[in-house]
Amino acid sequence: MNDVRPAPPLPARPHQRVTDDGRTVREVLSYSRRGSRFTPRQAAAWEAHHEAWVVPDEAVDAPDFSWADVFGREAPLAVEIGPGIGEATVALAASRPGTNVLALEVWRPGVAEALGRTAEAGLRNVRFCGVDAAWLLEHRVAPASLAELWTFFPDPWHKARHHKRRLVAPRFAAVAAARLAPGAPWRLATDWAEYAEQMVEVLDAEPALAGGVVERWPERPVTRFERKGLAVGRTITDLEYRRV
């Protein structure tokens, strides 16, 4: 009698992948984890708000996991990948009180800073999670359910040998497109011209998306990171694609 064992579940840990024979191997990622030291202000914000507004990594492994439970309501879902310290997150969530805004960020001091900004703005429609964005979109967001997707200034991994780590790649584009509701936008911005060209090439090739380079999205605030790019002479490129 054959001993047939069920395949192990894919882990939500952002640094692991499971092979067909059950071995856990390190995954190629679109980001690297930075330092975790808090300033006193960040520490206070984390202590005050993380239990209510930060989704623990292990929570997404639960078989009955749902975003309605996380947010305490049923509402359209918008996802921001890599919000940093939450400058755009807070501005966009404030103008969308009827939308659940999920910010995916692995840099914990940035999350702590964003928690403070969220509290200062009096928002209750924002949650944060540190699980790998590619994994989460594929496994914890239902197809055709996203109202909006935002990817502002993802790591350009500008060295040629690191280009494989860029987030905007064909496989991720296919997953992201499949999660967007029909007509829903994916808005992107970068201050690296060569990465902007790659984004256009990748997203133009995805048959479920239509769009391209657009004028600067007025709703997107000028963040600290963007100001640094402008200060050294980089050109900011905004893109908008929609699910067809």
Side-chain angles (χ1 to χ4, degrees):
M1 181 176 178
N2 292 332
D3 181 14
V4 179
R5 299 181 181 181
L10 289 171
R13 304 296 71 76
H15 64 287
Q16 294 179 353
R17 179 171 60 84
V18 174
T19 63
D20 291 340
D21 60 359
R23 292 180 295 111
T24 300
V25 296
R26 190 168 184 82
E27 186 68 281
V28 175
L29 299 173
S30 63
Y31 58 87
S32 60
R33 290 185 180 272
R34 295 183 280 168
S36 58
R37 183 175 297 178
F38 289 166
T39 66
R41 180 178 182 276
Q42 291 167 349
W46 180 268
E47 180 64 25
H49 304 296
H50 83 274
E51 289 188 1
W53 297 341
V54 177
V55 182
D57 283 5
E58 62 273 12
V60 302
D61 289 326
D64 60 347
F65 178 84
S66 78
W67 294 115
D69 290 341
V70 166
F71 285 91
R73 66 175 185 174
E74 292 277 1
L77 179 65
V79 170
E80 182 181 10
I81 299 173
I85 60 174
E87 293 166 287
T89 313
V90 169
L92 295 173
S95 66
R96 291 161 172 74
T99 297
N100 293 337
V101 176
L102 174 65
L104 301 177
E105 178 57 67
V106 300
W107 181 40
R108 188 161 290 191
V111 174
E113 184 78 20
L115 288 170
R117 292 172 179 269
T118 300
E120 289 170 0
L123 303 178
R124 295 294 182 268
N125 62 327
V126 183
R127 299 294 184 271
F128 299 86
C129 188
V131 169
D132 175 53
W135 185 95
L136 187 138
L137 282 188
E138 183 170 2
H139 298 283
R140 288 296 178 265
V141 175
S145 68
L146 270 188
E148 297 186 63
L149 179 61
W150 309 318
T151 310
F152 304 137
F153 305 99
D155 195 324
W157 295 104
H158 56 276
K159 294 182 180 179
R161 68 177 183 271
H162 291 156
H163 285 185
K164 64 184 178 181
R165 302 187 70 170
R166 286 177 169 175
L167 177 69
V168 182
R171 172 167 168 71
F172 180 76
V175 171
R179 297 313 182 259
L180 288 168
W186 182 4
R187 301 182 190 276
L188 310 95
T190 182
D191 60 341
W192 284 86
E194 187 268 336
Y195 195 10
E197 293 173 2
Q198 178 183 322
M199 288 179 177
V200 171
E201 181 180 350
V202 168
L203 300 179
D204 279 356
E206 170 50 52
L209 295 172
V213 175
V214 295
E215 295 295 321
R216 190 184 190 284
W217 186 34
E219 280 197 72
R220 181 174 64 76
V222 178
T223 64
R224 183 188 309 173
F225 184 89
E226 183 176 355
R227 285 192 291 272
K228 288 181 178 180
L230 291 169
V232 295
R234 295 195 187 117
T235 299
I236 309 301
T237 302
D238 275 72
L239 302 95
E240 179 186 327
Y241 285 80
R242 290 182 180 268
R243 170 72 185 273
V244 297

